[in-house]
Amino acid sequence: MLIGVTKETLPGETRVAATPATVKQLIKLGYDVVVESGAGQLSTFADEAYAAAGAQIGTADDTWGADVVFRVNGPTVPEVQKVRDGSTLVGLLAPARNGELVEALAARPITALAMDAVPRISRAQSLDVLSSMANIAGYRAVIEAAHHFGRFFTGQVTAAGKVPPARILVAGAGVAGLAAIGCAASMGAVVVATDPRPEVADQVKSLGGEYLPVVVPEEEQEVSSDGYAKATSEAYDAAAARLYSDQAREVDIIITTALVPGRAAPVLVTAADVALMNPGSVIVDMAAAQGGNVEGSVSGEVVTTKNGVTIIGYTDLAGRLPAQASQLYSTNLVNLMKLLTPSQNGQVDLDLDDVVQRGITVVKNGEKMWPPPPVQVSAALGVPAEPVEAKLEDEKRKLTPLSKTLLGALGAVVLFLLAAAAPMGLRSHLLVLALSIIVGYYVIGKVAHALHTPLMSVTNAISGVIVVGALLQVGMDNMTVQILAAIAILLASINVFGGFAVTRRMLGMFQKG
């Protein structure tokens, strides 16, 4: 089958749906690739680079007439007519907001896949275009803020005196918000962030920011069932409004990232809040394209208020790093084609029984498939949500304080009886065992779940002490002891080498290059 990469027609769009590197990967999957002449020019990818990677260079008709058409942005309604019957169109179609386009696609005997509708589950992370683009946009938002801000980000000590660091508020700690926090903190700014989900506090802290909680009753806190943000309650909105007003007086820069799929962006920063900010302050409204989180922001423009506050409403933040954005987006497309081409024979095999493929399918052979069935996932872990009945059952099984006390007393009695009946040499070992259990419980039991894997990889490496003990026993005359010691050496060695291997892989995730 032939994959066609079209030139983007949306004014100001700098990205392209394939790069020379991803063209090679598509060819390995068995596809032929044709790229419209000049499609990668604004992303610094020349036609010659595509040709060297194995792609054909063709016209617009060649690419629109391919078996699979790759786009960044969805086509216009007239462009839908260019798609050949029976072919597959892939791009950012925004089906939840673009009903007219969905109807136009359904009127043609084609298949349309929306890359911005990927379910937020672990298995689909490699296809998650929204996350990859949000990561770039969050980083770029800080760069744009620094460009318009009239001071250092980091604190400085100069011959003329001290310069305090800039203070930045990031509203929303999703992918874009976390990228902004990490970038701003690395530039030396003091970063504070807020988000409806309290579980992101550790993520904010790990990137060098300070989490500001919006204090509301527990039942008012947000819990996402599909991995995307939800509309917040009135109680939360009122408490958040007070927090934004208080912070507006203190911060130099505000970056807002709040979006709710299928709805207009919520207003977080009012005109009154903007009026409280000092002259020279900067606001970056990353939700300007969907109405904006900031009152007074203008989509695609930079405006300055009467009190000297700059409000940046750029809607193409990801496109301002076109080469990087194109590479990430086209890699998402390659991962999609790997999913659609399990045999690597250059043939698309769309499986609607797969929750990921079903979730992105807007139209299949002219049949409207939007919206897809809901996918329940955990926002924190990206795994299927636990059924309510199971949660209730777990709550019923929890021990009462009285039961815990009785079990503790019973354990103490058993330990006392063992110590009383055991030989003197064994009593010291029982004491060490009891103390190690207590220490282990309070050390391991208080560790956040996100840290269990790195912690256990290190503790596995400590299993070397077991190897030493087993080596001392393997030379005994008793065959049973020898066998048990050999087994202990084998298992402990696996823990040692496996622990270091896992630790090395995790450290590699945080290394550049």
Side-chain angles (χ1 to χ4, degrees), residues 170-365:
V170 178
V175 176
L178 292 174
I181 293 167
C183 179
S186 67
M187 293 173 68
V190 175
V191 186
V192 295
T194 184
D195 192 277
R197 301 160 296 173
E199 64 267 18
V200 304
D202 289 338
Q203 300 176 42
V204 172
K205 185 177 180 181
S206 69
L207 291 170
E210 176 188 353
Y211 178 70
L212 298 180
V214 176
V215 182
V216 292
E218 185 175 353
E219 60 271 13
E220 298 286 350
Q221 294 177 353
E222 177 186 341
V223 177
S224 176
S225 62
D226 59 1
Y228 293 95
K230 301 293 183 183
T232 52
S233 65
E234 293 183 3
Y236 178 89
D237 292 342
R242 292 191 294 270
L243 183 146
Y244 291 129
S245 296
D246 293 340
Q247 288 297 314
R249 297 183 176 91
E250 301 180 12
V251 300
D252 303 300
I253 296 171
I254 297 178
I255 298 175
T256 64
T257 69
L259 283 173
V260 179
R263 299 181 57 176
V267 176
L268 305 181
V269 181
T270 65
D273 296 333
V274 176
L276 295 174
M277 299 183 72
N278 295 321
S281 298
V282 178
I283 300 175
V284 182
D285 187 354
M286 296 184 63
Q290 280 76 46
N293 296 142
V294 182
E295 192 173 354
S297 68
V298 179
S299 178
E301 298 183 14
V302 177
V303 298
T304 303
T305 64
K306 293 181 179 180
N307 62 322
V309 176
T310 301
I311 303 177
I312 302 173
Y314 291 150
T315 59
D316 60 342
L317 289 171
R320 287 172 179 263
L321 293 172
Q324 185 72 74
S326 297
Q327 182 60 48
L328 292 183
Y329 178 73
S330 58
T331 300
N332 292 138
L333 291 179
V334 169
N335 292 330
L336 171 67
M337 298 312 292
K338 289 179 180 179
L339 181 64
L340 298 180
T341 319
S343 301
Q344 299 188 8
N345 58 354
Q347 298 294 320
V348 172
D349 183 13
L350 184 62
D351 180 11
L352 295 183
D353 292 330
D354 180 359
V355 65
V356 177
Q357 299 180 51
R358 177 65 184 88
I360 65 175
T361 304
V362 179
V363 174
K364 184 176 187 299
N365 295 328

Side-chain angles (χ1 to χ4, degrees), residues 3-92:
I3 294 177
V5 181
T6 68
K7 189 174 183 178
E8 297 299 314
T9 55
L10 183 68
E13 181 57 76
T14 59
R15 296 170 292 178
V16 64
T19 67
T22 60
V23 164
K24 294 179 181 179
Q25 294 176 283
L26 293 171
I27 292 175
K28 288 181 179 179
L29 291 175
Y31 293 99
D32 294 322
V33 181
V34 57
V35 179
E36 183 177 347
S37 179
Q41 182 177 0
L42 297 180
S43 298
T44 68
F45 299 118
D47 290 347
E48 292 77 11
Y50 285 110
Q56 308 169 39
I57 305 300
T59 65
D61 291 338
D62 294 331
T63 55
W64 282 103
D67 300 302
V68 181
V69 179
F70 277 2
R71 298 272 300 170
V72 175
N73 299 285
T76 62
V77 173
E79 285 176 333
V80 172
Q81 307 305 317
K82 297 181 180 180
V83 183
R84 183 174 57 80
D85 290 356
S87 62
T88 300
L89 174 69
V90 185
L92 301 174

